[in-house]
Amino acid sequence: MSKGRARNGRRAGNNTGGNQQRVHATRKRSARHAQKAKEIKSEIKSEIKQKRLPVPGDGISCTAKQDVDDILAFFSLRQAFDAQTEGEAGLVAGWDIEAEVGERDDLRGLLAVTIDGADARDFDDAVSIEPLEDGGMRLGVHIADVSWYVRPGTLLDAQAQARGTSAYLPDRVLPMLPEALSNGCCSLLPGQDRLTVSALIDCDKKGQIKTYRLARSVIRSRERLIYADVNRLLEGDPAQTERYADLLPSLRRMAKLAAKLRDQRLAGGSLDLDVSEAHISVNELGEPVEITLRDRGTAERMIEDFMLLANRVVAAHAKGRALPCLYRVHEPMDPDKAAAFAAFVRGLGLHLRDATPQGLQRLLLEAQARPEYPVITQLLLRALQKARYDAQPLGHFGLATSDYCHFTAPIRRYPDLFVHRALCAGMSGELRFVERAMEATAPGLSTHCSERERNTMEAERTVERLMMARYMAGRIGQVYEGLVVSVVEWGFYVALPNTVEGLVHVRTLPGYWTLNRELHCLAGGIETPASPITVYRLGQAVRVRVEAVDVAARQIDFVMAEAAERRTSDGKNT
């Protein structure tokens, strides 16, 4: 399927448009009905405003949900499960786990918690920590044992494999597995016994791995924690300290261990691209009502560090025992792209010594305090190869590790489910019965899952751009502070603090302008003795006004606020 622009065409005949057509017809029939028509039109606009729907005539002709439906259809993303699969899910979710519990490591005595965002829809990972006698720590990463419920050859497995991954959108989630599993028996809800696969990793005082153990287990999560609350707790917030007094010592240990793990990872060359991510809030009709920057505090980084560690441990385990595996691989930079990126940063006065993870990390540290830093990280991300799945351990360039796989999210990623099956088969001694079949399917599955992931990510990005356009369509004329993130012949793109991007077209700038490719700037204007040449360069802070929005094209147009204000002032004077 082609990756062209999503079908986001305008739909004729929505209710509001039809009502307005009838209003116009009434006006034509008789002047006597003109006042009545005016009242009807006013009522329609009032109702639309109350429901936060777009007003007819503002360039939006259908609801956000309809637009999202069109995008999902274009990318062939499945929104529902058939009745047979739902029935199978309900049956499986009702399985009695008591007999299985006796066959597993009983870890219900551990103080295990889940830590996720406030808007998280599934909880497939929990963490625990125990102090060791030598001053080290035992980290527990406990992942829902989806493989016990979803068996090969079932409808559930076929549907999960076809999807490859869950899709997360502002107004909905398209789960890889039915809700009876993803939000039920496979979700690590607090106070509930849950079947898990645990990675128990012993670290020394410096955070170095001493030993590890992988086990099928049963846990009982103590609490469903939210990132924001944990961040406040670790910062000493009195209300959170009182609320979670029994969890505070463990969470402090976790934060301390995570900091050591991160230092080690970065020292080894792992890239830490802190790219801004938008959080889009929608109302009950699916219309965007707020776009903010998603926070990435201590708690978020802590869980990320723990999941990265568990994935590395499992990948090394699979490789060392020759288990079938879908590795997460990330190849080195393409030489041409590396040269282009080096030329770009050279134009900013920076020097990339070599296109290795260590060389790139040194560059990022050097550029961290510069205004162009967000632009540099974005361009580096685009210059890097795309991560994918492979049946062979080809290494992960961005993480600077030779062994890496996805183990921590089997509810929402099929490769994780495949890895769980191989691990569990190895633990139970049943690997010899399934090894040949798993090895035979691994190459094809890696290609399929990589394609499904790319397709889903493109759909998510398209929906995000749609939501941003719909949000900004109601803010025509408003002024914002932003940052120049790209300079091209036809103008420059400006990113607002909430990541919304728009174009300042060169035709809206007075005078004649030229692009300096080496310095990555536009220079020009109307030069006078009192007004020298104006320059717009990457990383420059600017004030822009929202000029126009094309929702169908998901395009936002800005103009420089100063020029717009002068134009408005001139118009008033005349």
Side-chain angles (χ1 to χ4, degrees), residues 55-67:
V55 177
D58 66 356
I60 309 175
S61 59
C62 59
T63 67
K65 286 187 177 180
Q66 290 172 316
D67 273 345

Side-chain angles (χ1 to χ4, degrees), residues 276-280 288 290-294 378 464-473 475 480-485 492-504 542 544-546 548-549 554-558:
S276 299
E277 183 182 351
H279 178 259
I280 302 174
E290 185 180 31
I291 301 178
T292 56
L293 202 60
R294 195 180 291 275
Q378 283 284 358
E464 182 178 272
R465 290 195 296 269
L466 165 74
M467 290 295 184
M468 289 180 173
R470 295 187 75 94
Y471 179 79
M472 298 305 290
R475 285 152 181 81
Y480 296 91
E481 298 282 345
L483 202 68
V484 177
V485 293
F492 53 89
Y493 289 88
V494 175
L496 306 185
N498 62 2
T499 77
V500 170
E501 283 191 24
L503 171 68
V504 176
V542 293
V544 294
R545 193 184 79 172
V546 184
V549 176
R554 298 176 293 281
Q555 180 175 313
I556 301 165
D557 292 330
F558 293 148

Side-chain angles (χ1 to χ4, degrees), residues 63 101 151 164 198 215 294 335 367 393 407 465 510 539:
T63 67
V101 166
R151 310 289 175 87
S198 296
R294 195 180 291 275
F407 155 76
R465 290 195 296 269

Side-chain angles (χ1 to χ4, degrees), residues 7-279:
R7 287 187 291 109
N8 194 25
R10 305 168 187 275
R11 295 188 178 184
N14 63 51
N15 292 336
T16 302
N19 285 339
Q20 282 202 319
Q21 290 171 8
R22 287 192 288 274
V23 167
H24 294 318
T26 304
R27 285 178 169 176
K28 289 180 180 179
R29 289 191 193 101
S30 170
R32 184 168 57 87
H33 293 163
Q35 183 58 36
K36 182 62 176 176
K38 185 176 181 180
E39 292 172 1
I40 293 173
K41 185 175 181 180
S42 176
E43 290 172 4
I44 292 170
K45 285 191 173 183
S46 175
E47 182 180 356
I48 290 168
K49 186 175 182 180
Q50 290 173 7
K51 293 183 177 180
R52 304 186 80 105
L53 285 170
V55 177
D58 66 356
I60 309 175
S61 59
C62 59
T63 67
K65 286 187 177 180
Q66 290 172 316
D67 273 345
V68 173
D69 285 341
D70 283 348
I71 292 170
L72 298 181
F74 177 80
F75 284 97
S76 301
L77 294 186
R78 308 179 186 200
Q79 295 200 56
F81 293 90
D82 58 70
Q84 286 181 299
T85 305
E86 289 283 7
E88 187 173 280
L91 180 66
V92 166
W95 284 353
D96 185 1
I97 67 171
E98 285 306 312
E100 179 65 17
V101 166
E103 302 296 320
R104 295 174 175 247
D105 282 19
D106 191 342
L107 304 180
R108 287 175 290 187
L110 290 178
L111 201 164
V113 296
T114 62
I115 310 177
D116 299 275
D119 58 347
R121 280 110 167 194
D122 47 52
F123 313 104
D124 53 3
D125 59 85
V127 291
S128 63
I129 198 163
E130 303 168 85
L132 301 176
E133 291 183 358
D134 63 358
M137 297 287 173
R138 174 171 294 160
L139 172 68
V141 177
H142 314 280
I143 309 300
D145 189 359
V146 180
S147 65
W148 191 78
Y149 292 96
V150 182
R151 310 289 175 87
T154 62
L155 287 173
L156 283 171
D157 184 56
Q159 289 291 319
Q161 187 179 136
R163 286 166 167 79
T165 181
S166 298
Y168 295 91
L169 309 170
D171 68 331
R172 70 192 81 175
V173 60
L174 308 184
M176 187 182 79
L177 294 167
E179 189 173 348
L181 279 78
S182 60
N183 289 66
C185 62
C186 294
S187 190
L188 306 183
L189 301 173
Q192 302 291 320
D193 290 353
R194 288 292 185 261
L195 304 181
T196 47
V197 179
S198 296
L200 302 166
I201 306 168
D202 289 1
C203 299
D204 63 19
K205 293 179 181 179
K206 296 181 179 179
Q208 297 278 1
I209 298 175
K210 295 193 304 180
T211 186
Y212 72 88
R213 184 168 67 89
L214 303 177
R216 281 191 128 166
S217 55
V218 56
I219 71 161
R220 184 182 296 162
S221 172
R222 187 74 60 86
E223 193 76 49
R224 185 268 205 248
L225 297 175
I226 296 171
Y227 286 135
D229 291 343
V230 175
N231 286 330
R232 287 194 290 268
L233 177 64
L234 294 173
E235 291 165 2
D237 179 85
Q240 297 301 327
T241 300
E242 181 179 356
R243 180 180 178 185
Y244 296 119
D246 58 330
L247 302 180
L248 184 56
S250 288
L251 290 169
R252 282 177 173 164
R253 291 190 191 104
M254 289 182 188
K256 186 176 180 180
L257 175 60
K260 293 177 180 178
L261 294 174
R262 192 176 315 118
D263 288 344
Q264 285 181 34
R265 183 163 54 82
L266 296 178
S270 178
L271 297 177
D272 189 17
L273 296 175
D274 196 359
V275 179
S276 299
E277 183 182 351
H279 178 259

